[in-house]
């Protein structure tokens, strides 16, 4: 009988997630996806459009810089390029700047999302509907728990791990 090694399974899950993130965010993939939508976009521009679009079409300058892991000067240049493409507008309100998708930016974002859906659909090709439903449920639960787990991992004394049975009660 095989011995259940929870640490090994967690290592395997972590490794799989790192591979997913590396694949999904690779500059090469971003450029390929962008080329199907607008071949003038580079990887950074594509990522910025995703980030602004995922936030309802508006995102503060500082939030965009933080989420894209870019310096303020690099973010400013990026926004200038997107603005030159007619995809975003900068709106200043006092000391803050908000980055807003234009109508063309919203359309480009929608096409990027459709290309991403096609990729996910391709990866799920051959899965049974029940498997897709279960994957969605488990992944949603995992994503919902990430902020708490991230804060706990960053604290000086991480709390004791919670078993799945304790989490559900």
């Amino acid at each position: 009988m095989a011995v259940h090694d929870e640490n090994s399974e967690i290592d395997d899950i972590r490794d799989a997630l790192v591979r997913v993130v590396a694949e999904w965010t690779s500059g090469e993939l971003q450029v390929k996806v962008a080329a199907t939508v607008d071949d003038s976009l580079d990887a950074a521009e594509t990522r910025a459009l995703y980030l602004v679009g995922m936030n309802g079409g508006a995102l503060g300058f500082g939030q965009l810089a933080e989420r894209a892991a870019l310096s303020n000067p690099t973010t400013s240049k990026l926004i200038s390029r997107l603005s030159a493409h007619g995809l975003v507008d900068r709106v200043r309100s006092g000391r803050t700047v908000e980055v807003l998708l234009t109508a063309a930016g919203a359309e480009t974002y929608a096409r990027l999302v459709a290309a991403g859906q096609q990729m996910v659909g391709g990866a799920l090709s051959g899965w049974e509907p029940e498997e897709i439903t279960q994957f969605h449920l488990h992944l949603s639960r995992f994503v919902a728990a990430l902020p708490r787990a991230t804060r706990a991992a960053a604290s000086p004394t991480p709390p004791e791990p919670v078993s799945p049975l304790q989490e559900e009660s």
Side-chain angles (χ1 to χ4, degrees):
M1 181 167 138
V3 175
H4 176 74
D5 184 354
E6 186 177 323
N7 286 334
S8 175
E9 285 182 348
I10 290 173
D11 287 345
D12 291 345
I13 291 169
R14 183 206 59 235
D15 291 347
L17 288 169
V18 168
R19 286 192 304 274
V20 166
V21 169
E23 177 68 26
W24 195 264
T25 61
S26 78
E28 182 181 331
L29 176 68
Q30 295 295 316
V31 168
K32 284 180 183 177
V33 169
T36 67
V37 172
D38 179 345
D39 62 2
S40 67
L41 294 174
D42 67 21
E45 292 164 344
T46 301
R47 178 151 172 74
L49 281 176
Y50 272 125
L51 290 169
V52 176
M54 287 172 47
N55 284 279
L59 190 61
F61 176 92
Q63 291 173 307
L64 177 58
E66 181 181 321
R67 292 179 187 174
L70 299 173
S71 69
N72 284 349
T74 301
T75 303
S76 184
K77 290 174 189 172
L78 174 64
I79 293 169
S80 293
R81 291 194 316 265
L82 289 170
S83 183
H85 287 301
L87 301 173
V88 301
D89 285 326
R90 283 182 217 225
V91 176
R92 183 172 291 281
S93 175
R95 295 180 57 164
T96 63
V97 173
E98 193 164 43
V99 180
L100 304 173
L101 290 181
T102 62
E107 180 183 319
T108 301
Y109 170 69
R111 291 186 359 235
L112 287 170
V113 168
Q117 288 172 323
Q118 186 176 359
M119 288 175 17
V120 171
L124 295 172
S125 176
W127 288 40
E128 295 297 324
E130 302 82 30
E131 292 175 305
I132 294 171
T133 298
Q134 285 300 308
F135 180 67
H136 174 245
L137 292 171
H138 291 298
L139 186 59
S140 295
R141 180 177 170 197
F142 178 83
V143 169
L146 272 178
R148 177 183 45 83
T150 303
R151 284 190 303 275
S155 73
T157 53
E160 292 295 315
V162 176
S163 75
L165 293 176
Q166 289 173 313
E167 188 175 282
E168 291 175 3
S169 55

